[in-house]
Amino acid sequence: MIQDITEKLDNSYVPDAVPSVNDTLFCFRGMDVLASDDMNCPFPTIGKVECSDQPIYLFSIGSRRFFLTLDDDAQAPDKYRYVSVRALRRHPDALKKELYALFTAFHLYKWYSSGRFCGSCGAPTAPDSNERALRCTKCSAIEYPRIAPAVIVGVTNGDKLLVTRYAKGRGVGFDALVAGFSEIGETLEQTAEREVMEEVGLHVKNLRYYKSQPWGLSGTMLAGFYCDVDGDDTITLDETELSSAIWTKREDIVGQPDDMSLTSEMMKIFRDGKD
Ligand SMILES: [Zn+2]
């Protein structure tokens, strides 16, 4: 999965980190990021970029430190250009470490850029001095990074797994599993049961937690569960969410074209008979 890298991503908050020319800098413009074609090291160092603000320290991986500029007009040498974050995910040579850093930085970018003004009184915010948070300069309201919990559900039926395809949007062309965001007041287990009922009309039992995955592209914390269909296995498809949902035998499971996602790992684990 995307987070399975050799060195740990250390996101301890270091408010007084001083940027240096050799630190990596993320420059976003909407859904695009400044990058080169060199997939070993696609993102520029601070020394290569002209930006109008003081870069914000994000995290480190090993000895490498990563910063963020909120200047969406940051400029870099010719070999760098703004490219789609989603397109980089599908780049055949993309390194997991670079993508994990990119997705995590993107999540933080969305939070920093949407939190420049206080949601309570509208005054400007400023980074807190003790923890990763934005504090209102007028009313002191504090805003922490937002992470949306969601579930991925592998519904099993004997030797078969329920494999879906989305009806619209991203990932339409790839196999997937039932998935959805938690509602306020709901446990992750209840989210899993509700999403399965809403998307395919099935009751489930024996819910088994598998693993979690931070997915910065959508600001999400994913929790993966396997479960068994309970009773009638007739699928009633929610066609606004899914284009298909098929009971698929282990040997017919394909997974997704890369090994970045929890969804793909869960499909392949079941295919290989490990659940
Ligand atoms: Zn305020």
Side-chain angles (χ1 to χ4, degrees):
M1 291 191 281
I2 193 170
Q3 73 267 28
D4 297 329
I5 60 175
T6 311
E7 296 168 295
K8 184 177 180 295
L9 187 151
D10 182 352
N11 49 17
S12 309
Y13 188 51
V14 187
D16 52 357
V18 178
S20 75
V21 291
N22 293 321
D23 293 322
T24 300
L25 186 65
F26 281 107
C27 316
F28 293 100
R29 186 184 284 171
M31 293 297 294
D32 295 342
V33 63
L34 193 61
S36 74
D37 292 330
D38 176 6
M39 281 297 119
N40 284 315
C41 197
F43 310 112
T45 55
I46 287 177
K48 289 181 177 162
V49 181
E50 288 178 34
C51 61
S52 61
D53 59 356
Q54 170 83 352
I56 300 165
Y57 174 73
L58 298 180
F59 50 79
S60 64
I61 299 177
S63 60
R64 194 165 155 213
R65 303 193 307 167
F66 296 82
F67 286 73
L68 169 72
T69 173
L70 294 177
D71 177 4
D72 61 7
D73 199 28
Q75 302 295 324
D78 284 349
K79 69 173 187 169
Y80 292 92
R81 57 199 164 85
Y82 282 91
V83 296
S84 158
V85 173
R86 294 189 198 291
L88 277 185
R89 187 245 160 130
R90 298 291 179 197
H91 195 293
D93 299 327
L95 294 178
K96 208 175 270 184
K97 181 170 75 173
E98 301 299 320
L99 288 181
Y100 186 31
L102 170 64
F103 280 25
T104 306
F106 181 76
H107 192 170
L108 284 159
Y109 156 70
K110 297 298 280 185
W111 175 71
Y112 273 113
S113 58
S114 67
R116 293 183 222 217
F117 297 96
C118 175
S120 297
C121 77
T125 62
D128 187 76
S129 55
N130 295 317
E131 52 190 346
R132 177 91 64 193
L134 291 167
R135 189 176 287 278
C136 177
T137 53
K138 185 177 175 190
C139 76
S140 295
I142 194 157
E143 166 117 351
Y144 292 98
R146 284 193 297 274
I147 305 170
V151 297
I152 304 284
V153 193
V155 186
T156 70
N157 185 4
D159 213 30
K160 290 175 278 191
L161 181 70
L162 189 65
V163 175
T164 68
R165 291 237 169 163
Y166 295 120
K168 56 185 182 299
R170 304 177 298 278
V172 166
F174 303 110
D175 287 346
L177 299 172
V178 169
F181 288 99
S182 291
E183 299 286 355
I184 291 174
E186 194 174 55
T187 66
L188 291 170
E189 291 82 355
Q190 289 168 338
T191 306
E193 291 168 355
R194 177 181 53 76
E195 286 290 343
V196 174
M197 177 53 69
E198 286 178 2
E199 293 192 1
V200 291
L202 297 172
H203 291 283
V204 296
K205 60 185 179 183
N206 301 332
L207 214 55
R208 309 180 285 285
Y209 174 71
Y210 175 61
K211 284 182 184 175
S212 65
Q213 175 173 57
W215 195 252
L217 205 50
S218 52
T220 312
M221 171 61 77
L222 299 166
F225 291 90
Y226 289 101
C227 58
D228 306 327
V229 66
D230 187 12
D232 187 356
D233 66 0
T234 307
I235 294 163
T236 307
L237 199 65
D238 176 359
E239 293 180 355
T240 59
E241 292 280 333
L242 302 177
S243 64
S244 71
I246 298 167
W247 291 118
T248 307
K249 291 181 184 171
R250 286 186 203 273
E251 60 267 31
D252 296 331
I253 291 171
V254 177
Q256 294 181 344
D258 59 40
D259 64 347
M260 299 294 173
S261 72
L262 175 62
T263 297
S264 192
E265 179 167 305
M266 288 179 65
M267 285 192 277
K268 289 171 181 173
I269 286 282
F270 183 80
R271 178 192 65 194
D272 298 341
K274 293 175 184 165
D275 183 88

